[in-house]
Structures are given as structure tokens and as C-alpha cells.
Amino acid sequence: MSPNTQEIQDYLQKLSSTVNKLPKTYTLAAKPTFKALLGLLSPSTAVSPAALVELLTKWLSCLQIPAVNIIKLTAKDLSMSQLAEVFELDFRPYEEHYWALKDKFLIDLPGSLQSQLDDVRKAFYEDESEATCRISIDLILVQCRVYLRCKHEQAISSSSLIGPSTPIKGGVSDVPQRPFMLFPESNVSIHIKKQSAEFLITGRADWAMGYKSMGDEGSLLNAMEAKQRSEFSKGEAQLTAYLAILRENRRRAKKVNYRTQGFYSDGTRFGFLCITEEGLVRQSRIFDISKKGELKVVFSFIVNMMETAMKMTPTVTPTKPGPRRDLEIGSYHDEAWTEIYKWVHQSVVVSPDSTEDDLIDIERCVSPDSTEDDLINIS
């Protein structure tokens, strides 16, 4: 083998290494990379450019790099059926059961919240503006965050609501803590390959919650979406898309748990959604905070949604380091999730105009200890 040929082979190995390191989404950059390196190879060897091109062409054919058709989609434009296909989600139980909060986890409202929301209504902002809708949602989110911070202030050494702490060695507690933050206007995206096509799905959640970690696509745990009143129904699919993106990013990042939760709202009506690790989609009934007792349920739902999301990861859990914390994370479904939530059959859910007393009968619908597998088999 002549030196020139050996030199070419060395460059080919470097080229191979360079292309192999390219992210999946940069597949289209493979040929431009070859062309750029070809410009460096030609002057450094006595082999003619034509011969070098032939070698590279043969090598390319051996690689069999497929042409990639990247289909760009926007989260807000996807239908529920498209989401089910792209993310392999299961809506069957979702059609029969509501996701609900156990009554013992209802929380008393902060004294100022109701009056603040009343003031927004009295101010006569334009009803159909999404910006108007966000005012009420922001007021509720602020109070939920304040409630959780006050609740966990005694656990400063491990509370991600307040700041990082010194990790405790042993089990999942041996993980540095990060601040659990609320991110307005949070960009989310995912690349999904299906047969010969690759989908790039992007969107911007009005709010997302998680911990900030450079290069960690699985650091977001919750998403929330505001919709103007006339487009409230569109929030369901849009929020599902965001939660599916967060779930898939956490799954790929090999997180311990990757269940995602969130809500969509027009500032008055609230719908809550979650996607389990198995891809099951659950939805609550629609709450209307202008009706008696509904604001308390919404406030409690958001607080518990935030707290259970935090308990699923050692990075932000507010539970003090120790056996209980390790158990909650390692057996998240049994120790944290089913402790707070239940599944309610739609046939016993009363109308939105019902009072709090009417809602008492909901407890008899499904056993609080019922698992997701139990519900799938209910006819």
C-alpha cells in the first residue's frame, strides 16, 4: 500500500468518526461535511481529485446513509389522533375515567386569592384576550408556589423550592439538588423517527416547571397552557402535545420516572391532564372557578400536581433525604401518586353546575386503591 493510499485511509477514518458523532438531526450535514473535508484532502496528497472522489463515493455507498425527510410540525396544530400515532399514546381509559384528587388532599385557599381574582373581573379587561386569561392563572400559580415554599421551609437542607443543598450519600438521595422553577414561555421540542420520516415537533408552553440543567432535555416536569375563551377546547390537544414531548425527553434521558402533568385554562375553566409512563392519557373533568367550591379544587389540584412532580425525581424532591425519600422515588406510583390521586368513572360525575355537596357521591365510583391496570379492565 502506497503512502498516499494510507494517508487517504487515515483521513477516511477521521471522516467516519466525524460523521458518526453527528446528532441524528444533523444527518443532512453528512454530505456537506464530506465536501468540506475533500477540500482539505485534495492539496495534501498526490492522488488526483477524481480518484479521491471515487474512493469517497464508494465509502458513502457502504455507509448507506438514508435520505432523511424531516417533517416540521407545530404542537398547537396536532390533533389528538396524530398525537396518539406519533407518540404512541393510549386514550382508551381516558374515554371512561376522570383523573381526580382525593378529598383529603383539598387545601384551604389563601385568604387573598379569591379577592385578587375578583379584582381582575372588576377591572373589566377584554374577555377574549389570552393575555387577560393569563392574569388569573398567574395569580393562582404564584399562590401555589408560595404555599409549597412555606410548607417545605423546614426542609431547607433538601428543599429544591429554596435552593441547592448538600447531597446525602446513599440511595437516590446522593443527588445534588437544583431549584424547582417556573419558566414562562418555555420552548419545547422533540425529534421522532418513524420509518423513513423524521418529525421535528416544536412548541412554546405558556409555563413549564422543572429544574434548569444545561444540556438536559429531561429537566421539565410540568406544562401549562393558556387559551382565550373561544379557543379553550383547543387547549386539550396542545397541552397533550407538550406533555408528550416532556415525557419522551425524560424517557430518552433515562430518568427514574417520566410521568408528566399539566393543565390548560382560559382563566376561568381548568382542565388537568397527565400522561403515565405507559403512555396512558388521563384528564380531569373541567372545573369552573366562577362556581362555588371550584377554585379550592383547582388550587389544590395545582399544588398537588407540582408536589407529586417534584417527588418523582431526586433532583428537586422536597422530601427530606432518607429512606422515605428513596421509597417515594423508587416506588413513585405506589408511594406518591396513588396516595393523592384517584380515577373516577364519568357515569357518576355530576354536572358542572353541581354544588360541593353534590360531589360527595363521587367517592363511591372507584376504589381509592384502584390501579391503572384495574381500570383498564373495567367494562
Side-chain angles (χ1 to χ4, degrees):
M1 181 178 293
S2 68
N4 286 334
T5 305
Q6 180 62 56
E7 186 177 3
I8 291 174
Q9 293 297 331
D10 291 341
Y11 274 111
L12 286 176
Q13 289 181 4
K14 293 179 182 179
L15 190 59
S16 174
S17 176
T18 299
V19 175
N20 287 337
K21 290 179 181 178
L22 287 174
K24 184 190 298 185
T25 55
Y26 281 70
T27 306
L28 291 176
K31 289 186 179 180
T33 301
F34 274 92
K35 291 179 180 179
L37 291 181
L38 178 59
L40 298 175
L41 285 170
S42 298
S44 63
T45 175
V47 177
S48 69
L52 195 54
V53 169
E54 183 179 356
L55 283 173
L56 293 174
T57 302
K58 288 181 179 179
W59 189 75
L60 267 174
S61 64
C62 292
L63 278 181
Q64 296 180 343
I65 299 177
V68 178
N69 178 25
I70 299 181
I71 302 174
K72 296 182 179 180
L73 302 172
T74 304
K76 67 179 182 179
D77 295 327
L78 293 172
S79 66
M80 294 297 257
S81 60
Q82 289 173 319
L83 290 168
E85 180 181 356
V86 173
F87 289 99
E88 298 180 358
L89 301 178
D90 188 347
F91 293 96
R92 288 181 299 111
Y94 158 83
E95 296 174 352
E96 299 175 357
H97 297 91
Y98 282 125
W99 178 35
L101 186 68
K102 293 182 180 178
D103 287 351
K104 66 179 180 179
F105 287 97
L106 291 176
I107 302 166
D108 290 336
L109 288 173
S112 62
L113 180 56
Q114 183 65 69
S115 62
Q116 289 173 348
L117 294 174
D118 289 341
D119 285 344
V120 173
R121 283 189 281 271
K122 293 175 184 177
F124 289 104
Y125 277 74
E126 200 275 308
D127 283 341
E128 275 302 311
S129 169
E130 186 175 309
T132 300
C133 301
R134 294 188 190 189
I135 296 173
S136 296
I137 299 170
D138 266 322
L139 289 172
I140 295 172
L141 288 175
V142 167
Q143 293 296 334
C144 289
R145 294 279 292 162
V146 170
Y147 173 89
L148 280 173
R149 178 160 184 167
C150 293
K151 178 180 178 179
H152 296 291
E153 272 186 338
Q154 293 181 348
I156 292 178
S157 62
S158 64
S159 175
S160 56
L161 282 167
I162 297 175
S165 64
T166 303
I168 306 300
K169 292 184 178 180
V172 295
S173 293
D174 190 17
V175 176
Q177 291 288 284
R178 301 181 187 276
F180 186 60
M181 302 178 67
L182 183 64
F183 300 98
E185 299 293 333
S186 181
N187 292 320
V188 296
S189 64
I190 192 76
H191 288 88
I192 295 182
K193 192 173 183 180
K194 292 285 184 180
Q195 299 177 350
S196 60
E198 184 174 332
F199 297 92
L200 170 60
I201 304 173
T202 61
R204 177 178 293 178
D206 288 321
W207 300 269
M209 296 197 71
Y211 52 95
K212 196 168 186 178
S213 182
M214 294 300 293
D216 187 350
E217 295 292 335
S219 63
L220 296 178
L221 309 170
N222 301 82
M224 303 86 165
E225 181 62 23
K227 302 299 291 183
Q228 62 187 63
R229 292 186 180 180
S230 61
E231 296 188 351
F232 174 75
S233 61
K234 296 181 180 179
E236 178 186 4
Q238 192 169 348
L239 177 64
T240 301
Y242 294 149
L243 296 182
I245 292 172
L246 300 190
R247 171 182 171 272
E248 182 61 18
N249 279 329
R250 289 187 61 79
R251 187 188 69 81
R252 293 182 185 182
K254 301 186 184 302
K255 301 297 181 180
V256 179
N257 299 296
Y258 43 93
R259 187 170 301 217
T260 53
Q261 310 171 62
F263 68 82
Y264 61 101
S265 173
D266 61 4
T268 300
R269 292 170 292 179
F270 286 75
F272 293 86
L273 281 169
C274 70
I275 305 179
T276 71
E277 288 86 351
E278 299 80 18
L280 299 176
V281 180
R282 307 285 197 186
Q283 185 184 34
S284 73
R285 68 179 180 87
I286 303 301
F287 299 96
D288 187 335
I289 63 172
S290 67
K291 299 183 183 301
K292 182 181 178 181
E294 298 280 87
L295 177 58
K296 180 177 181 178
V297 179
V298 167
F299 177 80
S300 303
F301 219 126
I302 296 174
V303 167
N304 283 282
M305 181 188 73
M306 291 178 177
E307 193 166 25
T308 53
M310 293 162 64
K311 287 183 177 182
M312 68 190 280
T313 170
T315 312
V316 295
T317 177
T319 305
K320 292 182 179 181
R324 178 61 193 169
R325 178 177 171 180
D326 291 356
L327 185 61
E328 281 183 346
I329 296 169
S331 302
Y332 173 73
H333 178 270
D334 296 326
E335 297 297 326
W337 187 264
T338 57
E339 175 69 14
I340 295 174
Y341 296 118
K342 61 185 177 182
W343 308 118
V344 178
H345 199 279
Q346 288 191 21
S347 62
V348 298
V349 174
V350 292
S351 71
D353 296 325
S354 300
T355 65
E356 280 187 292
D357 293 336
D358 295 326
L359 299 178
I360 294 177
D361 290 338
I362 291 178
E363 285 289 349
R364 64 181 172 80
C365 56
V366 178
S367 167
D369 297 324
S370 298
T371 65
E372 291 167 0
D373 291 336
D374 294 332
L375 293 179
I376 292 175
N377 295 322
I378 296 178
S379 57

